[in-house]
Amino acid sequence: VQTNASASVAGLNYCSISMRSVVSSNQVACTAYSNAGVGGFNQGILACSLSFQQYSTAGAWTTYSVSCYDYLNQYSSRSPSAIDPSFGNLTNIGTPDTAPPNITNVTLFPTVVNTSLAAATVNMSFFVADDRSGVR
């Protein structure tokens, strides 16, 4: 993703671009830094890469935020349609993961603690499975 940006005398620090699925709450974002220091970069093109995870939501995705900050933390934020109505739409044709992980067993050890004299630690384990994208 590229954006053409400009800043005041303080210099352009970074720009962020965010996209989200039209049919779910999934979103991706990237940030491009100028790395020029205060006053060193006042306009130009910044680029960053949006990473879509395997099994991301299929269908339409739209850019919903473009924000640029200078070194004084002053910022400008625009909707993509305010910049260019044709900007910022894509379609994911991949197979999505639509089922959440399934938790089937939870155990605690010990099952009784006494915190009268000291703190206590309880260990927990659980069995979880996911049909497509896996568990993190």
Side-chain angles (χ1 to χ4, degrees):
V1 176
Q2 290 188 39
T3 184
N4 189 359
S6 62
S8 63
V9 177
L12 185 63
N13 187 2
Y14 65 92
C15 291
S16 295
I17 297 176
S18 301
M19 293 189 82
R20 67 177 156 202
S21 167
V22 172
V23 297
S24 77
S25 61
N26 294 128
Q27 58 185 9
V28 295
C30 68
T31 301
Y33 293 90
S34 72
N35 297 321
V38 175
F41 182 79
N42 288 10
Q43 67 181 9
I45 295 174
L46 296 178
C48 63
S49 298
L50 293 164
S51 295
F52 288 80
Q53 297 295 321
Q54 184 178 15
Y55 304 118
S56 292
T57 303
W61 287 68
T62 186
T63 303
Y64 71 92
S65 174
V66 178
S67 301
C68 292
Y69 293 77
D70 69 12
Y71 278 96
L72 295 176
N73 214 29
Q74 300 174 102
Y75 72 95
S76 175
S77 185
R78 297 239 180 114
S79 70
S81 61
I83 299 168
D84 179 350
S86 65
F87 174 78
N89 298 311
L90 65 85
T91 302
N92 176 14
I93 61 169
T95 303
D97 181 354
T98 58
N102 185 21
I103 301 168
T104 58
N105 190 16
V106 178
T107 59
L108 302 173
F109 181 80
T111 58
V112 176
V113 295
N114 181 348
T115 58
S116 297
L117 300 175
T121 300
V122 175
N123 296 308
M124 180 181 81
S125 66
F126 48 92
F127 182 82
V128 61
D130 190 71
D131 68 336
R132 190 161 280 153
S133 63
V135 177
R136 283 197 252 174

